[in-house]
């Protein structure tokens, strides 16, 4: 096992579908990856549950955001963010009903103000919680941490998915960057 912090790898659920474009620019406590299929495609349609405030996708009174990207070539979908499951608070503090978790539909297509529907996607996760200091005593002999939901997960996976803030930026066909998610999650 590497002595690098596990969050340096970014969210575990994005492994294999993101690339860090300039790893030499990695900043302590911050990870940014670009969404990319195994075949190297980098343009996606986005679908979301939430409300739009200008360009930002925010939680509703009913439930947190759910955001997926879809490869327009093969239709495969990739989970970018589930506010009921990802982030420190969702994993360790906040509980959600089955209805909140499973009834966030329909997922709406994200369109730019110009009607564009396909974008490059960049995800930034921020890690400012010292999981080892705060939670290592709660890890069982198998290396598992029990989440507030009762689910048990590998401690390193929990640290990677338990970021305390998240940003998602998209880039349109003109090269303009648009921030669509900016969430504090701890």
């Amino acid at each position: 096992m590497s002595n690098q912090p596990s969050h340096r790898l970014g969210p575990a659920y994005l492994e294999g579908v993101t690339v860090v474009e300039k790893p030499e620019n990695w900043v302590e406590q911050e990870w940014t990856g670009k969404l990319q299929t195994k075949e190297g495609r980098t343009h996606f349609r986005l679908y979301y549950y939430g409300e739009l405030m200008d360009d930002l996708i925010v939680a509703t009174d009913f439930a947190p955001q759910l955001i997926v990207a879809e490869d327009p070539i093969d239709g495969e979908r990739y989970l970018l963010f589930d506010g009921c499951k990802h982030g420190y608070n969702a994993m360790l503090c906040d509980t959600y009903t089955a209805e909140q978790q499973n009834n966030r539909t329909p997922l709406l297509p994200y369109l730019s103000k110009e009607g564009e529907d396909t974008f490059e996607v960049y995800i930034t996760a921020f890690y400012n919680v010292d999981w080892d200091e705060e939670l290592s005593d709660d890890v069982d002999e198998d290396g598992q941490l029990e989440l507030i939901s009762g689910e048990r997960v590998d401690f390193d996976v929990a640290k990677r998915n338990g970021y305390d803030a998240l940003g998602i930026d998209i880039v349109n066909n003109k090269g303009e960057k648009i921030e669509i998610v900016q969430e504090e999650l701890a």
Side-chain angles (χ1 to χ4, degrees), residues 49 60-64 82-85 90 93-104 148-149:
Y49 168 84
T60 68
D61 290 337
F62 174 68
D82 182 344
C84 289
K85 295 180 181 176
C93 303
D94 302 333
T95 57
Y96 298 99
T97 66
E99 185 180 23
Q100 287 173 302
Q101 294 177 53
N102 301 320
N103 292 339
R104 290 176 286 167
I148 195 162
S149 66

Side-chain angles (χ1 to χ4, degrees), residues 29-30 41 62 65 78 82 85 95 105 141 154 174 181:
Q29 288 116 9
E30 181 181 320
R41 292 188 291 274
F62 174 68
Q65 307 93 313
Y78 304 94
D82 182 344
K85 295 180 181 176
T95 57
T105 56
E141 63 278 353
D154 179 84
K174 296 177 187 167
V181 173

Side-chain angles (χ1 to χ4, degrees), residues 4-177:
Q4 297 294 330
S6 58
H7 61 262
R8 185 169 184 169
L9 302 172
Y13 64 94
L14 291 171
E15 192 167 315
V17 295
T18 52
V19 293
V20 178
E21 293 201 306
K22 297 179 180 173
E24 68 275 9
N25 292 344
W26 186 79
V27 178
E28 187 70 30
Q29 288 116 9
E30 181 181 320
W31 174 92
T32 298
K34 179 180 181 180
L35 192 63
Q36 176 177 305
T37 67
K38 292 174 180 72
E39 297 79 18
R41 292 188 291 274
T42 59
H43 287 80
F44 299 88
R45 291 187 183 111
L46 298 174
Y47 295 89
Y48 69 95
Y49 168 84
E51 293 181 7
L52 278 182
M53 293 184 72
D54 295 316
D55 294 321
L56 287 175
I57 301 168
V58 299
T60 68
D61 290 337
F62 174 68
Q65 307 93 313
L66 175 63
I67 303 165
V68 298
E70 181 180 88
D71 182 340
I73 304 299
D74 66 13
E76 187 167 351
R77 286 192 167 188
Y78 304 94
L79 179 62
L80 300 182
F81 177 63
D82 182 344
C84 289
K85 295 180 181 176
H86 302 138
Y88 184 90
N89 283 351
M91 294 172 68
L92 299 171
C93 303
D94 302 333
T95 57
Y96 298 99
T97 66
E99 185 180 23
Q100 287 173 302
Q101 294 177 53
N102 301 320
N103 292 339
R104 290 176 286 167
T105 56
L107 292 182
L108 303 171
Y110 187 91
L111 301 174
S112 72
K113 288 178 176 43
E114 295 80 27
E116 193 174 339
D117 70 349
T118 307
F119 310 92
E120 290 183 337
V121 179
Y122 295 85
I123 302 147
T124 302
F126 298 89
Y127 297 92
N128 295 300
V129 174
D130 187 340
W131 282 70
D132 292 318
E133 173 75 25
E134 196 172 308
L135 295 160
S136 63
D137 292 344
D138 298 324
V139 177
D140 68 19
E141 63 278 353
D142 296 323
Q144 303 284 302
L145 176 70
E146 185 173 342
L147 305 181
I148 195 162
S149 66
E151 178 186 1
R152 300 187 80 70
V153 298
D154 179 84
F155 189 49
D156 282 334
V157 169
K159 289 191 276 186
R160 291 175 66 187
N161 292 345
Y163 39 81
D164 56 280
L166 180 77
I168 299 177
D169 294 326
I170 57 176
V171 177
N172 66 18
N173 65 11
K174 296 177 187 167
E176 299 166 331
K177 184 191 287 187

